[in-house]
Amino acid sequence: MNITRKLAATGSMLGVLASASLAMAPTASAATLNGCAYPRVCFYLTNTDWNNRTPTAGYQDITTTYQNLSSRAAGAVVAVNSRQDDRAYLRANVSGTTRYYCLPPQGLISFAPGIVVNGIRIDSAATC
């Protein structure tokens, strides 16, 4: 076999192998952060929910005002922001006083006992 045929045969074989590997490659999926699928801000009511990677609620709409959290999110022990470039503001009651927390993209916050998160506002800015 001359050099041109060898190169052509080798090139064809590499093309077949590359096609096969692409066909077998897993499909890309949106990133998740401890079970929180992009583009959500997720809440975990208990440490067991957190450890099992099972959020009990998720929010994804950008809003100009705070949304009250559902019973599946209010009082959560952990909140996660799986969004890539949007921050989330969380409103909480701390000993009768309203406090606000900023949750950056790809961030998480764990709430100490006595902090009861009750509202969320997702904002289209990336930094807190």
Side-chain angles (χ1 to χ4, degrees), residues 20-120:
S21 66
L22 288 175
M24 296 162 66
T27 59
S29 62
T32 63
L33 186 59
N34 205 65
C36 183
Y38 172 85
R40 291 181 170 75
V41 177
C42 296
F43 294 87
Y44 303 78
L45 281 178
T46 67
N47 286 321
T48 300
D49 296 327
W50 170 255
N51 292 335
N52 289 338
R53 302 173 56 92
T54 53
T56 54
Y59 294 81
Q60 68 182 31
D61 294 336
I62 293 174
T63 59
T64 57
T65 59
Y66 280 87
Q67 300 175 65
N68 290 326
L69 296 181
S70 71
S71 62
R72 303 284 299 152
V77 297
V78 177
V80 169
N81 184 357
S82 72
R83 300 174 77 91
Q84 301 294 319
D85 54 4
D86 300 318
R87 63 188 173 200
Y89 287 106
L90 305 176
R91 182 185 63 210
N93 182 315
V94 183
S95 302
T97 303
T98 301
R99 304 274 180 179
Y100 298 91
Y101 301 90
C102 184
L103 184 56
Q106 295 292 298
L108 72 89
I109 187 169
S110 177
F111 297 101
I115 298 175
V116 181
V117 62
N118 57 31
I120 184 171

